[in-house]
Amino acid sequence: MGNSKSTTVFADETQYSYEVPGPHDSRSPCPALNTLANHGYLPRDGKNIRPEVLQIVLQEKMGLSWIAAKSIIGQAYKTVGKNGLLSLSNLSYHAPESIERDASLSRLDAALCNNQQGNFNQQRFNTFLSFSKDGKCLTTNDVAAARLHFKVDSKANNPEFLWNKKIQKAMWTEASILLYILGKHGRISIEDAKLFFEDETFPRGWQKHSSFGVRQLHSATKALKNAAHEQKKQQRINDENA
């Protein structure tokens, strides 16, 4: 996995062993944030998190640049923060301006699950994994195809499907960050994806990559969009020839 060691902020990794969350712990629709809480980088109960704490963790443990982390945090606290704090479950809030969105890779749409969109859905995640062409890794092309599939599926089956240009941009940004956090050379192993999504823990031997800033995010997002564009173009050709 990644290629640079943790900084002195989390020098004693023995303090950050994995613990299964308890029934009263707060968790979000985001496996990355849940993983950070399960390891104690964020409060293990997932509650009353200060923005500066989340900023440090996203930078020092996940490798996001200051500005990339700041943009995510700013929207989160703006929409669901209370008195300068937030709990992870607050991020399940579903609205056009929220962090949580329809067409997730591992969660059902809010309108289709009685507002339980914060909960992991195994069947949906299995569908995501099925886009792996070799059954071993998820490539940039595989992730792009999955993103397109879930958008089309939600649009067809969710009468309350929320979608706009801002959400679409976020969809590709999130997928880019996923490939960055878990991937190596644009590929995520199926084993690593299962640990991260199903158990919400870091893959074995995982280390963060070097800082993921605006330039890297733009490049990764562009690669995903280009892959999606080529797939849609090929689909149109196939439909015309059918």
Side-chain angles (χ1 to χ4, degrees), residues 48-182:
N48 299 320
I49 301 170
R50 301 191 311 275
E52 60 268 26
V53 171
L54 188 52
Q55 178 78 32
I56 290 171
V57 172
L58 290 179
Q59 286 184 241
E60 303 297 341
K61 190 58 190 177
M62 288 303 193
L64 298 186
S65 70
W66 181 88
I67 193 168
K70 190 71 173 179
S71 63
I72 295 171
I73 291 169
Q75 185 180 2
Y77 281 84
K78 179 180 179 181
T79 54
V80 299
K82 298 177 181 178
N83 299 319
L85 302 171
L86 68 74
S87 296
L88 294 182
S89 60
N90 296 150
L91 295 171
S92 292
Y93 171 65
H94 184 71
E97 72 277 10
S98 65
I99 292 289
E100 189 281 325
R101 302 175 182 90
D102 289 329
S104 166
L105 298 173
S106 63
R107 269 73 175 167
L108 296 178
D109 291 359
L112 303 180
C113 65
N114 194 28
N115 290 311
Q116 296 300 307
Q117 64 273 14
N119 297 336
F120 173 78
N121 183 272
Q122 186 69 59
Q123 183 177 355
R124 193 173 186 88
F125 180 63
N126 289 345
T127 300
F128 172 40
L129 296 183
S130 73
F131 281 88
S132 168
K133 293 182 178 64
D134 63 4
K136 298 178 181 179
C137 292
L138 288 159
T139 66
T140 296
N141 285 340
D142 297 337
V143 174
R147 286 270 42 140
L148 290 175
H149 166 80
F150 286 121
K151 176 189 174 183
V152 171
D153 181 72
S154 289
K155 188 175 181 179
N157 297 301
N158 180 1
E160 299 178 27
F161 180 48
L162 285 178
W163 200 257
N164 55 42
K165 289 184 178 180
K166 185 176 180 180
I167 292 174
Q168 179 162 294
K169 179 180 178 181
M171 176 186 81
W172 294 117
T173 298
E174 290 169 359
S176 300
I177 293 174
L178 172 66
L179 279 162
Y180 162 74
I181 291 174
L182 285 187

Side-chain angles (χ1 to χ4, degrees), residues 202-233:
F202 291 107
R204 298 175 184 88
W206 182 89
Q207 290 183 337
K208 71 170 184 175
H209 291 276
S210 56
S211 182
F212 190 60
V214 174
R215 182 177 300 176
Q216 293 89 343
L217 180 60
H218 175 76
S219 177
T221 302
K222 183 178 180 180
L224 274 170
K225 287 183 175 180
N226 287 343
H229 175 74
E230 290 301 315
Q231 291 173 33
K232 287 191 288 187
K233 184 168 69 174

